[in-house]
Amino acid sequence: MRFLFLVTLKRRDLARVLVIMRHPRKLPDVLSVEEAARLLEAAPGIKYKAALGVAYGAGLRVSEVAHLKVDDIDSTRMLIRVEQGKGRKDRNAMLSPQLLELLRLWWREGRRRGVMLPHGWLFPGRSCTDPISSRQLHRAVQEAAEVAGIRKRVSPHTLRHSFATHLLEQDVDIRVIQVLLGHSKLETTALYTKVSTRAIHAVAGPLDRLMALMEDKSPPG
């Protein structure tokens, strides 16, 4: 808008009255490990279970999950190749043995159905030549959450948030999590320290310290 008024329209008087509105940043909803397990178990079919498994097990964005190809799964190096993620950046995501096994189950089923093309999409849409849509993945997550009895507001991005938070609670270095998520700034990743229950529980409250001090000073009975 500033460029429009200053450069294109030559209206500095209008540019001066522009005000930057900052939206308050809310903490993301995060699933517990048990809720994540229930959600994946309730996924509508092996394809969606594998796709949601990638979102949670590797921390990928929904668009990154949708645009994975079969060749992006590197079982030798145990990596998932993410091409042209957010910011048009390539990166490697983690591939756990459990996630690899889940993807192999889907690959075998996809081959049996005739929807898995050589060098094609890992998660084909309604047509084998098109990737699954983000809308389909959103719908699958909401359906699974309803079946699993999860009342939180859940989306595919919730699985990415849960991935980062659960790694943080396992004492994984925050800079490693930053790389896995593909964040360019550490402060973006640091948001998860605010939702990590383990990080919160690890802090000794001032009241606890005060009560302990008072007990130490109490006269012997």
Side-chain angles (χ1 to χ4, degrees):
M1 291 296 292
R2 287 188 185 278
F3 183 88
L4 173 66
F5 290 131
L6 287 173
V7 180
T8 308
L9 301 178
K10 311 294 184 184
R11 293 293 304 272
R12 291 184 173 274
D13 56 320
L14 295 177
R16 281 196 294 269
V17 299
L18 288 176
V19 178
I20 298 176
M21 299 294 293
R22 299 190 182 278
H23 296 281
R25 190 168 190 177
K26 297 182 179 179
L27 292 179
D29 285 324
V30 172
L31 300 176
S32 67
V33 175
E34 187 266 342
E35 286 174 330
R38 281 164 41 206
L39 184 76
L40 292 180
E41 193 61 33
I46 182 62
K47 178 170 81 170
Y48 289 106
K49 186 175 183 178
L52 301 185
V54 171
Y56 174 66
L60 267 60
R61 301 176 178 90
V62 62
S63 59
E64 294 170 344
V65 174
H67 288 88
L68 283 177
K69 293 187 176 180
V70 175
D71 294 339
D72 291 331
I73 307 302
D74 188 342
S75 59
T76 302
R77 300 172 63 207
M78 295 302 287
L79 295 171
I80 299 175
R81 176 74 171 171
V82 180
E83 293 187 351
Q84 298 295 288
K86 188 174 181 180
R88 296 187 177 277
K89 295 178 181 177
D90 296 345
R91 75 176 191 280
N92 290 322
M94 61 184 292
L95 176 63
S96 68
Q98 292 80 9
L99 179 55
L100 177 60
E101 182 57 31
L102 181 58
L103 290 174
R104 282 173 171 167
L105 286 174
W106 159 237
W107 183 80
R108 287 192 288 267
E109 177 62 18
R111 289 289 297 272
R112 188 189 67 80
R113 296 182 194 175
V115 299
M116 192 75 73
L117 301 178
H119 314 295
W121 302 109
L122 182 60
F123 302 112
R126 291 184 174 87
S127 170
C128 298
T129 57
D130 296 323
I132 194 170
S133 68
S134 296
R135 180 176 294 182
Q136 286 176 282
L137 291 174
H138 274 274
R139 204 173 292 154
V141 168
Q142 291 166 1
E143 182 180 331
E146 185 175 351
V147 172
I150 298 172
R151 301 192 179 277
K152 296 176 182 177
R153 295 181 61 181
V154 181
S155 72
H157 216 66
T158 306
L159 294 172
R160 175 175 161 88
H161 292 319
S162 302
F163 162 84
T165 304
H166 295 167
L167 284 185
L168 193 64
E169 292 177 345
Q170 295 170 25
D171 296 325
V172 176
D173 188 276
I174 193 169
R175 293 188 183 275
V176 175
I177 300 174
Q178 177 191 1
V179 172
L180 292 174
L181 291 174
H183 286 162
S184 57
K185 297 180 180 179
L186 184 61
E187 49 263 37
T188 306
T189 314
L191 172 69
Y192 296 107
T193 60
K194 299 180 181 180
V195 295
S196 169
T197 56
R198 182 171 177 179
I200 295 171
H201 293 161
V203 178
L207 180 61
D208 295 333
R209 291 177 178 270
L210 176 63
M211 295 302 290
L213 183 62
M214 291 174 66
E215 287 178 4
D216 289 342
K217 289 184 177 181
S218 61

